[in-house]
Amino acid sequence: SIASAMMDQGRVSDALRQWHETAEMENDPRNNTGSGGSIYYAWRGISGTEAQWGHTQDARKALVELHRDGLKFMKNEGTDEAFNQVASIWENIYQLEILAINGDYESIHDQAIALDERLKKIIPKSALTRNMRTAALRMDHKWIIESALRTGRHEEGVTTATDLVDHPLVTPTDEKIFVDAVDARSRTYLGQARIASGQAADAQAP
């Protein structure tokens, strides 16, 4: 999206403005085609950016709008229960960013572990749900690793990061460039975890 490209260029304020303009499409009487998910992801961009800036109230408000738009999408599309469960968990994952504002990594750790257990029980019935579930697991494991390291659970961080490297959370439809990026990110997490646990000699890439 245009806003995502702006973020990649470091134009955070411009990206935030673009996301707000996209979100306003919902109230535009000329918009007869729906959002195609763009409004949902606009609120996602807003919540994530506000959380990074430490704006708790604005981040929460954006997540309320995201939840409302998500319910509207699921009703209109008639999505199945597995999709709805994964969508709900994604909202829970977004909430972890707000906990991080206050440095509450104990709560983040507990919630991320619980979300991981919920995700593993979901059986996707479509490729879309499978891809959403895989991406959710990938993001949730990132939070498990970070919260484990920040709360002194270094061995758990190493174990979780090692599992990410050994069992990449990707899908059959992911392009190689994306798979490689996921692998590189997982190896970075593993290196950080090893350093935190005192395994500095093992942290260097092979």
Side-chain angles (χ1 to χ4, degrees):
S1 69
I2 296 174
S4 296
M6 290 175 173
M7 285 292 287
D8 291 340
Q9 297 167 6
R11 298 163 56 193
V12 180
S13 295
D14 290 339
L16 192 60
R17 183 167 54 252
Q18 180 64 44
W19 276 318
H20 275 289
E21 290 177 1
T22 299
E24 284 299 316
M25 285 173 48
E26 186 175 15
N27 302 317
D28 189 341
R30 297 168 298 177
N31 177 27
N32 298 318
T33 60
S35 68
S38 59
I39 293 175
Y40 177 95
Y41 287 109
W43 286 119
R44 162 62 195 137
I46 293 168
S47 69
T49 302
E50 296 292 3
Q52 289 177 14
W53 284 351
H55 300 163
T56 304
Q57 293 283 63
D58 290 332
R60 289 189 187 281
K61 288 178 182 178
L63 287 181
V64 168
E65 294 297 330
L66 179 147
H67 175 71
R68 182 186 55 76
D69 191 72
L71 290 177
K72 181 178 178 181
F73 173 84
M74 289 185 285
K75 180 180 179 181
N76 291 342
E77 297 296 324
T79 52
D80 63 30
E81 183 60 24
F83 179 98
N84 298 349
Q85 289 177 6
V86 175
S88 175
I89 289 173
W90 264 113
E91 292 187 29
N92 295 145
I93 291 174
Y94 297 150
Q95 292 281 354
L96 299 181
E97 295 176 335
I98 296 177
L99 291 175
I101 294 175
N102 299 317
D104 189 0
Y105 285 94
E106 282 289 347
S107 293
I108 289 174
H109 180 265
D110 292 345
Q111 292 185 31
I113 291 294
L115 292 174
D116 183 53
E117 294 174 355
R118 286 172 59 193
L119 282 165
K120 288 176 178 177
K121 293 177 181 177
I122 297 173
I123 301 175
K125 294 180 174 60
S126 70
L128 175 59
T129 305
R130 177 202 64 198
N131 293 351
M132 286 176 55
R133 175 180 175 273
T134 299
L137 281 166
R138 192 165 55 237
M139 179 62 71
D140 189 57
H141 283 199
K142 186 272 283 190
W143 281 112
I144 291 175
I145 294 168
E146 181 173 353
S147 61
L149 298 183
R150 288 178 178 268
T151 56
R153 299 174 172 91
H154 298 142
E155 290 304 317
E156 180 186 354
V158 171
T159 299
T160 305
T162 299
D163 188 60
L164 276 182
V165 172
D166 293 342
H167 305 96
L169 289 169
V170 294
T171 71
T173 56
D174 288 329
E175 296 183 1
K176 184 178 184 302
I177 188 171
F178 179 79
V179 173
D180 290 345
V182 169
D183 178 69
R185 196 175 303 119
S186 296
R187 292 181 186 278
T188 298
Y189 294 152
L190 179 56
Q192 293 170 339
R194 283 175 170 169
I195 289 173
S197 66
Q199 303 174 27
D202 296 327
Q204 298 181 10

